Amino acid sequence: MAVEQVEPLACGRDAADVWEHAEAGTLDEHELSCPHCRSARADHDRLGGLVTRMAAEPLRPPPSVLEQVLGAVVAELRPHELLALGPDAWLGRPTAEAALRHVVDSMGGLRARHCRIEQHGPVGDGPVPVWVRMTVTARFGVDLASVTARVRQMVISAGEGTLGVPIAGVDIHVEDLWDDAAEVRR
Amino acid sequence: MQATDPAPQRGPRSGGPASAAPRVPGSAVPGSARSELDEQTLVARAQDGDVHSFAELARRHQDALFRVAVRVLGQRADAEDALQEALIDAWRRIGTFRGDAAFSTWMYRIVTNRCTAVIRRKRPTVPLPDDDAPGAMLDAGSGSPERAAEVDAELAALSRALADLPGEQRTCWVLRELEGLGYAEIAHITGASETAVRGRLHRARTALAERMRAWR
């Protein structure tokens, strides 16, 4: 018998099955009367209450763990993740992406997921145009055609007005819909 | 649905100065209420490099991951280290998460791998400190102080028995009995077959029951 498998009890029953039946309260007639099965059931009963207590114990990590993780994460951010605003001016790309996601989030009925800003071309006197790829989810029932047009308009406006980079193009991909009622039920 | 503008003129990508360190991404941005965002959205944003979305994911999962690490490793200090390393590892690898399993499953896998590495390095010999002893924070007695003390002692004994199990049995037992995961999910997390998970779990259960007989 492979070592991974569960050895049967002397009565032939699978010991793990008996344990699971005891757990679910679905022991059959044989399992209730057979001494071998009753012994397996007693093992289950022996641990049951203690396991429940152990599972209920509140164990939480100290705040310092997450603080150190985020410190390490920020330290690892790659310095080349920058957008050129001009010959001597740069903007962190994740910051710019977060700003554009915020624009979408604030519209109502939409949430931004991925936002990718790509910038190509040599740095000249002025900012190099960027291309924005945005993945969004929408509330069920919104007019997707008009809302994506509005997203494009607002992203272009925010890019040029807030970030200071001209937007060469915006790709918008609606990849999911959500239902407020379903979220409330969750 | 795809909405696309005409393709732009594209040249070689411009590089930035390596010495210019970016601020924390998104720190200057009025944050959307990340705590209200669904997990898929947070994962997508974290994959784009949004630290704050990753932080929200870490906040949501850290308690469950820590519970597993404490029970598998038997010590808070080791568990804190394992959790910290697992979360940093998750950040580095989040781009590889494809969503074919739940994000929590993916995180459990990373943290249990870390725990396995710790177990291989050193076998835990020191039980949980007294103030962390199982049951210490519970109203264990809901009756007499004697009964509360007895339950605490039983839980401490169970913790010691758990620490004596082989690492792979311990991991299966913790994921099933304390976290309530199914065989398929545990198999995905541990990289073992469901048959192997079932076998390890059963051996762990019977070994623990055997050890706890003295308490009845």
Side-chain angles (χ1 to χ4, degrees), chain B residues 77-192:
Chain B
D78 283 346
E80 287 173 17
D81 289 347
L83 174 63
Q84 188 173 318
E85 289 167 9
L87 290 174
I88 293 171
D89 200 21
W91 166 256
R92 289 175 182 154
R93 293 167 49 193
I94 197 163
T96 68
F97 176 69
R98 294 282 168 256
D100 46 359
F103 184 73
S104 59
T105 304
W106 189 73
M107 286 299 311
Y108 274 130
R109 184 166 192 161
I110 292 176
V111 85
T112 55
N113 282 344
R114 282 283 163 187
C115 291
T116 302
V118 172
I119 290 167
R120 282 187 188 135
R121 278 204 304 271
K122 62 168 189 176
R123 183 169 175 78
T125 53
V126 182
L128 289 165
D130 285 342
D131 58 346
D132 294 330
M137 288 176 279
L138 294 176
D139 179 17
S142 61
S144 68
E146 291 78 10
R147 178 60 192 143
E150 192 183 341
V151 170
D152 279 353
E154 277 184 297
L155 285 168
L158 181 58
S159 283
R160 286 193 295 274
L162 186 60
D164 286 341
L165 291 179
E168 56 193 19
Q169 287 184 28
R170 214 182 313 160
T171 301
C172 289
W173 188 87
V174 168
L175 292 174
R176 172 69 182 182
E177 301 287 64
L178 303 185
E179 296 301 309
L181 305 188
Y183 289 155
E185 194 171 8
I186 298 171
H188 191 82
I189 291 165
T190 59

Side-chain angles (χ1 to χ4, degrees), chain A residues 68-92:
Chain A
Q68 286 173 20
V69 168
L70 296 180
V73 161
V74 169
E76 282 190 5
L77 291 172
R78 290 163 291 180
H80 66 265
E81 292 274 358
L82 298 171
L83 299 171
L85 300 179
D88 298 309
W90 307 87
L91 173 65

Side-chain angles (χ1 to χ4, degrees), chain A residues 131 133 152 169-173, chain B residues 1-8 10:
Chain A
W131 188 267
R133 298 181 191 284
R152 177 173 292 113
V170 183
D171 288 343
I172 302 161
H173 182 92
Chain B
M1 175 178 176
Q2 182 88 30
T4 308
D5 272 354
R10 294 186 182 168

